[in-house]
Amino acid sequence: MEAVIEVTNLTCRYRRHEAVHGISFAVPAGTVFGLLGPNGAGKTTTIRALMNILRPSGGEARVLGVDSRRLGPSQLQSIGYVSENQEIPGWMTVAELLAYCKPFYPAWDDALCRTLLADLALPLNVKIDRMPRDMRVKAALVTALAYRPKLLVLDEPFGGLDPVVREDLVHGVLERAGEEEWSVFISSHDLDEVERLVDDVAFIDAGRLVLAESFATLQQRFRRVEVTTSEPAPFTASAVPAEWLGVTAAGRVIRFVDSAYREPESLSEIEARFPGARVEVRPMTLREIFVALARRARGAQAQEVLS
């Protein structure tokens, strides 16, 4: 499948601080791709590099087939971009903002614009600086969607909104994207928000890529496992497979996350390692998976410092 975004060994530095360290991933066309990670992980820096707002220190990013450093008006006419800290002229009304933006986009669709305004219940004649935050976000979304972009880039635009408003906006935007067959690239630290929406995900933490793969594959291979033995037995966490994360033992109970689970082979292997034990296996949420991966990544970084 053709990629609308291709990132290869991307590095971004602010003086001595390396905000993004050699990350690589690709966003297939027609998908919803989630760039996930905690606050300060490097998500916004990555997006700023993709949008040619920030020049990378190393590596390459290609957006719609063009080097991000060469993105110009012809490419930006096909990209919708909304960020959490996006500035909109507060002295304008919504109608004035739309009239200002329209000439920049030859594909601007007045009918779609009217539909979006109605769907979002957005008033035309109120000045933007007098609007609550959710209405300002809606205004930014209309200006980013009215010209039917091939790629929609959302940098945590729904942060701080009322949960009900956020839910309605996220699903409304992504439903529209699905109808129009747009590609969507959304960054978020709210994993619950995007879990039901994304096709593919990339996790970054402390500027480093933890993983990038389809969400379906991720869900298939991660399982939380609890083993209850008949009696306490000597157990060494360092002796378990590398795919077992966060291994803990308390009395007769051993808990861990299997990051390479295969049905039914993995269950058989666990039962063979702990004869006679009761083994419970359950799926994991996106948040649980990320926490397990983040803990592993931070443990590895701590070991690097100590060594």
Side-chain angles (χ1 to χ4, degrees), residues 24-40:
S24 299
F25 60 84
V27 178
T31 63
V32 178
F33 188 102
L35 180 65
L36 310 177
N39 287 328

Side-chain angles (χ1 to χ4, degrees), residues 42-195:
K43 303 184 299 297
T44 293
T45 297
T46 299
I47 288 181
R48 287 170 64 87
L50 293 176
M51 294 292 96
N52 197 20
I53 299 170
L54 172 70
R55 190 173 185 85
S57 306
E60 181 184 51
R62 300 187 69 82
V63 181
L64 300 180
V66 177
D67 188 318
S68 64
R69 294 166 294 188
R70 299 181 181 277
L71 285 180
S74 60
Q75 291 80 36
L76 295 174
Q77 289 169 359
S78 299
I79 301 171
Y81 172 53
V82 180
S83 72
E84 181 179 18
N85 299 314
Q86 190 162 346
E87 294 185 6
I88 303 176
W91 53 270
M92 287 185 174
T93 63
V94 173
E96 290 168 340
L97 176 66
L98 296 175
Y100 171 78
C101 291
K102 179 178 175 178
F104 292 101
Y105 301 99
W108 187 279
D109 187 326
D110 286 324
L112 175 58
C113 185
R114 289 191 295 270
T115 298
L116 292 169
L117 291 169
D119 289 347
L120 296 175
L122 194 60
L124 284 173
N125 298 316
V126 177
K127 289 188 181 294
I128 291 169
D129 61 5
R130 296 180 183 174
M131 289 181 164
R133 172 165 162 70
D134 62 317
M135 285 294 182
R136 294 197 300 272
V137 171
K138 290 178 180 181
L141 284 169
V142 172
T143 63
L145 297 175
Y147 49 94
R148 299 184 182 274
K150 295 179 182 177
L151 171 63
L152 179 61
V153 178
L154 304 173
D155 183 12
E156 305 222 36
F158 310 117
L161 297 182
D162 174 88
V164 175
V165 173
R166 183 172 65 238
E167 181 87 0
D168 290 344
L169 283 177
V170 170
H171 283 277
V173 169
L174 295 182
E175 181 179 343
R176 172 67 62 177
E179 293 173 355
E180 301 288 343
E181 298 184 348
W182 298 331
S183 304
V184 180
F185 184 82
I186 180 170
S187 79
S188 180
H189 68 275
D190 189 338
L191 305 179
D192 297 331
E193 178 180 82
V194 299
E195 179 168 6

